[in-house]
Amino acid sequence: MSTESTDRRIALVTGASRGIGRAIAESLARDGLFVIINYQSNEAAAQETLAAIGGSQHGQLMQFDVSNEAAVEAAIKTISEQHKRLDVLVNNAAVAIDGLLMRVKTADWHRVLETNLSSAFYLCRGASRLLLKAKESGRIINLTSVVGESGNAGQASYVSAKAGLIGLTRSLAKEFASRGVTVNAVSPGFIETDMTKQHLAGDARQQLISQIPLGRVGQPQDIAAAVAFLASPAASYITGQVLRVNGGLLIG
């Protein structure tokens, strides 16, 4: 950990070893924040993220399972002890296990809800004292999804978790507003990541692109730019909102 980190705003980005999480870490680091890069198991990829943001002068790795309540509490305690502050929490970690409702296993339902929704609850609750102490510099940004607003066949667990994040965002926005802490969500459309590549190939990909008014699948940097804006002083009067970054796929 760099001693300089305590003089800068501190951000924790979950699921930051690759994809959207890595792009968010890079964007926040460019804006001068010290970024704590959470990952669960892929240390090599997390090290690549750390290198991408400029090394230990600009961030650090922190391995823990966001769906494990005790692990989250331990991580927040470590952040408090090492940095004495946390200004920005980005709940990005997610997993999707798709299937028609009649075939969804209960264990898979719980895994998706725990990873995508309960994790945000654990992190927001655990980090609340540090974030409230940060006052006007405090930010919570939750990554939801276009399907969390529109619904999607074969994704009952994923959609439920992402819709739940919107409710959590709005409730916490009202709870934390009196201390100047803002809570918002970013709702990506279909973004070029490993997760979407598994579900979108060939004709299915082209059919999807035909439904997007801007005519392309988004890039992780599109989401990172929105997160960086919401984390910045320029967004200090925005709270309880869902910022859609979907190329026009969902409007209204």
Side-chain angles (χ1 to χ4, degrees):
M1 180 191 73
S2 168
T3 56
E4 295 178 0
S5 67
T6 55
D7 299 324
R8 288 181 279 173
R9 294 175 74 204
I10 307 294
L12 169 60
V13 182
T14 67
S17 63
R18 55 200 175 109
I20 292 173
R22 177 180 292 179
I24 291 170
E26 291 177 356
S27 187
L28 293 177
R30 282 195 298 271
D31 286 346
L33 281 76
F34 185 91
V35 183
I36 299 170
I37 299 162
N38 159 258
Y39 69 101
Q40 181 172 350
S41 58
N42 194 340
E43 183 176 354
Q47 288 284 2
E48 291 176 2
T49 300
L50 183 60
I53 69 172
S56 60
Q57 293 297 311
H58 302 283
Q60 71 182 89
L61 304 185
M62 188 167 287
Q63 188 276 330
F64 64 92
D65 180 356
V66 296
S67 69
N68 184 307
E69 182 179 2
V72 169
E73 291 177 355
I76 296 299
K77 181 179 179 182
T78 298
I79 292 170
S80 180
E81 291 172 349
Q82 290 185 352
H83 299 281
K84 315 299 182 187
R85 65 186 295 175
L86 181 65
D87 301 88
V88 178
L89 169 62
V90 182
N91 288 306
N92 166 73
V95 64
I97 305 175
D98 296 345
L100 296 176
L101 180 63
M102 65 182 68
R103 296 172 183 164
V104 173
K105 297 178 181 178
T106 301
D108 289 341
W109 168 270
H110 285 298
R111 182 186 171 198
V112 173
L113 268 290
E114 284 292 311
T115 303
N116 297 8
L117 179 57
S118 295
S119 64
F121 164 71
Y122 299 147
L123 282 152
C124 290
R125 183 182 62 182
S128 60
R129 287 182 176 84
L130 289 173
L131 290 163
L132 290 171
K133 185 178 178 181
K135 297 184 179 179
E136 285 76 11
S137 71
R139 302 282 191 271
I140 296 174
I141 303 164
N142 297 319
L143 272 290
T144 180
S145 169
V146 63
V147 299
E149 299 183 84
S150 67
N152 198 35
Q155 288 193 305
S157 56
Y158 186 78
V159 168
S160 296
K162 292 300 188 178
L165 273 176
I166 294 174
L168 180 65
T169 296
R170 290 171 174 162
S171 292
L172 295 186
K174 292 191 174 184
E175 283 193 28
F176 293 169
S178 64
R179 296 289 289 273
V181 175
T182 67
V183 187
N184 292 289
V186 173
S187 178
F190 288 90
I191 308 300
E192 198 75 72
T193 66
D194 291 343
M195 184 184 295
T196 56
K197 286 177 183 177
Q198 293 175 4
H199 302 283
L200 289 171
D203 292 341
R205 180 184 178 90
Q206 293 306 313
Q207 183 178 3
L208 171 65
I209 291 174
S210 71
Q211 298 172 26
I212 301 173
L214 285 181
R216 67 175 177 90
V217 173
Q219 297 299 315
Q221 292 76 15
D222 295 319
I223 307 306
V227 172
F229 166 66
L230 290 173
S232 75
S236 64
Y237 200 57
I238 301 172
T239 196
Q241 304 304 309
V242 178
L243 178 54
R244 294 172 176 166
V245 187
N246 62 35
L249 183 61
L250 179 65
I251 298 174

